[in-house]
């Protein structure tokens, strides 16, 4: 039975369906030597040769590869992209290296937003968790600057018109603060670009701090430093899979508890240290560039 090309590649861990559709549109994918187009379907057999950027890729990883999921504490200032032409830090810089698979981000957070970001090796899981039809709940802690009254809370709960359609918070709860700097916890069941910020701006309130604290029932792990990650064990991984209608895994690559605590602490320290060095190097380059004197014109 034939399947859509992007579904086959996503299931094999080569990216989310959205990422692979972008690759196909850019002419980066071929099937048996012929350039692929959106909508192409393939029959899986041993003779099938699929290439991305000219390299043959495996489409059988899903049969043997265990689905893995990371919870990452994204700091402000990191981009949700694999590579940045300007050399700025990205969310992929600190993640553990993989063989025969790649980490796929489940959604995005803008550069000025911090908090929980999930990564997985399973493209189909990533795609389903991101898809609006699944209505997976996201929770954010928001510090706002401006006058808040019951009318504005009512508008945000019932819905306001944004440039890409109506939107509303599923829940909104006061979380503390005084005067014009206050904290609220809000939830959404979709992930439109900058949606939390745009909703508040629509009622004349500015967001001065935004932290994602939950995705589905997966909370930002307590004690996890900014820039740190932890791999989810079998129970939370299967919660996410079953949440979007995928079969549960029967095995996990997460070590047993005693080894896991030691490994986790070492991994977090190395990841944070590595990223600090990268950021420091980028800052030094930027400073040197700014300090370089302008070339003089010849008379």
């Amino acid at each position: 039975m034939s399947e859509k090309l992007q579904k086959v590649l996503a299931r094999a861990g080569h990216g989310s369906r959205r990422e692979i559709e972008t690759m196909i549109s850019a002419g980066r994918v071929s099937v048996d030597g012929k350039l692929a187009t959106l909508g192409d379907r393939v029959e899986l057999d041993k003779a099938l040769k699929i290439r991305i950027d000219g390299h043959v890729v495996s489409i059988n990883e899903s049969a043997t590869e265990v689905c893995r999921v990371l919870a990452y504490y994204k700091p402000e200032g990191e981009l949700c992209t694999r590579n940045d032409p300007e050399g700025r830090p990205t969310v992929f810089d600190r993640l553990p290296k993989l063989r025969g698979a790649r980490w796929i981000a489940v959604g995005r957070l803008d550069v000025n937003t911090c908090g929980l970001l999930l990564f997985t090796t399973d493209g189909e899981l990533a795609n389903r968790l991101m898809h609006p039809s699944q209505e997976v709940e996201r929770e954010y802690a928001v510090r706002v600057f401006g006058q808040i009254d019951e009318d504005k809370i009512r508008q945000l709960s019932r819905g306001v018109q944004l440039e890409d359609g109506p939107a509303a918070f599923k829940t909104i709860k006061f979380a503390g603060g005084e005067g014009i700097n206050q904290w609220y916890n809000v939830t959404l069941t979709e992930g439109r670009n900058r949606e939390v910020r745009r909703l508040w701006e629509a009622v004349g309130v500015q967001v001065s701090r935004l932290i994602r604290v939950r995705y589905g029932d997966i909370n930002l792990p307590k004690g996890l430093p900014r820039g740190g990650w932890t791999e989810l064990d079998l129970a939370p991984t299967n919660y996410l899979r079953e949440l979007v209608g995928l079969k549960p895994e029967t095995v996990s690559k997460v070590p047993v508890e005693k080894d896991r605590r030691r490994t986790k602490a070492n991994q977090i320290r190395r990841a944070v240290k590595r990223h600090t060095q990268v950021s420091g190097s980028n800052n030094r380059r930027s400073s040197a560039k700014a300090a370089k004197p302008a070339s003089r014109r010849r008379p």
Side-chain angles (χ1 to χ4, degrees):
M1 189 172 109
S2 68
E3 292 185 277
K4 283 192 175 181
L5 177 59
Q6 61 264 38
K7 184 176 180 180
V8 170
L9 289 172
R11 192 172 61 237
H14 297 294
S16 68
R17 284 197 211 175
R18 190 179 303 171
E19 288 176 325
I20 293 165
E21 286 169 358
T22 301
M23 293 180 196
I24 294 172
S25 298
R28 296 172 55 194
V29 182
S30 66
V31 179
D32 290 337
K34 181 182 177 182
L35 205 62
T37 59
L38 283 177
D40 283 356
R41 302 178 72 90
V42 294
E43 293 271 0
L44 299 184
D45 61 58
K46 292 182 180 179
L48 186 68
K49 291 287 188 293
I50 299 178
R51 290 178 169 84
I52 297 177
D53 295 330
H55 303 287
V56 175
V57 296
S58 171
I59 55 174
N60 300 314
E61 290 172 9
S62 57
T64 56
E65 195 69 26
V66 174
C67 171
R68 302 173 67 179
V69 181
L70 295 183
Y72 176 65
Y73 192 161
K74 176 194 175 296
E76 292 102 334
E78 285 187 350
L79 301 175
C80 286
T81 183
R82 291 188 184 276
N83 298 290
D84 179 61
E86 298 178 28
R88 292 170 295 181
T90 81
V91 294
F92 291 92
D93 292 343
R94 311 193 206 203
L95 303 186
K97 304 301 179 185
L98 296 173
R99 288 185 179 180
R102 67 192 311 206
W103 293 116
I104 302 164
V106 179
R108 305 165 69 90
L109 294 174
D110 69 52
V111 67
N112 295 319
T113 299
C114 67
L116 178 64
L117 188 59
L118 297 179
F119 292 86
T120 180
T121 55
D122 187 327
E124 183 63 19
L125 175 62
N127 182 71
R128 293 194 187 191
L129 286 170
M130 288 185 281
H131 202 280
S133 65
Q134 299 292 339
E135 296 188 341
V136 180
E137 194 170 272
R138 292 91 152 155
E139 181 177 353
Y140 298 83
V142 193
R143 186 177 68 192
V144 294
F145 179 79
Q147 296 294 336
I148 312 293
D149 54 32
E150 286 301 318
D151 182 56
K152 290 181 178 180
I153 298 297
R154 200 160 35 245
Q155 288 182 60
L156 292 169
S157 299
R158 291 179 177 175
V160 298
Q161 186 66 34
L162 303 179
E163 58 267 29
D164 52 356
F169 290 127
K170 183 179 178 182
T171 64
I172 178 168
K173 297 178 182 177
F174 178 66
E178 297 179 354
I180 56 176
N181 279 296
Q182 299 180 17
W183 282 92
Y184 286 85
N185 275 49
V186 300
T187 61
L188 289 167
T189 54
E190 57 183 1
R192 283 192 254 171
N193 184 41
R194 299 184 70 254
E195 188 170 3
V196 175
R197 295 179 187 274
R198 291 189 293 136
L199 272 164
W200 285 103
E201 289 167 2
V203 296
V205 177
Q206 182 182 354
V207 173
S208 58
R209 188 85 188 279
L210 183 57
I211 309 168
R212 183 153 73 191
V213 296
R214 181 170 59 84
Y215 200 104
D217 284 349
I218 306 298
N219 292 300
L220 182 64
K222 291 182 179 179
L224 189 66
R226 287 193 181 108
W229 56 265
T230 184
E231 185 163 354
L232 304 187
D233 57 25
L234 197 57
T237 296
N238 280 340
Y239 154 74
L240 290 170
R241 294 181 65 80
E242 292 172 337
L243 180 67
V244 294
L246 293 175
K247 292 181 180 178
E249 290 280 9
T250 57
V251 294
S252 171
K253 288 196 173 183
V254 176
V256 296
E257 187 60 31
K258 185 176 71 173
D259 294 334
R260 184 184 177 193
R261 285 196 297 267
R262 181 171 60 251
T263 303
K264 176 181 169 184
N266 290 337
Q267 287 169 336
I268 289 173
R269 280 196 293 269
R270 285 198 300 270
V272 173
K273 181 179 179 182
R274 182 168 62 249
H275 188 76
T276 302
Q277 290 172 340
V278 170
S279 300
S281 175
N282 287 337
N283 289 337
R284 286 194 295 274
R285 283 199 296 270
S286 298
S287 298
K289 186 176 180 180
K292 186 177 179 180
S295 57
R296 297 178 181 176
R297 291 184 178 178
R298 292 185 178 182

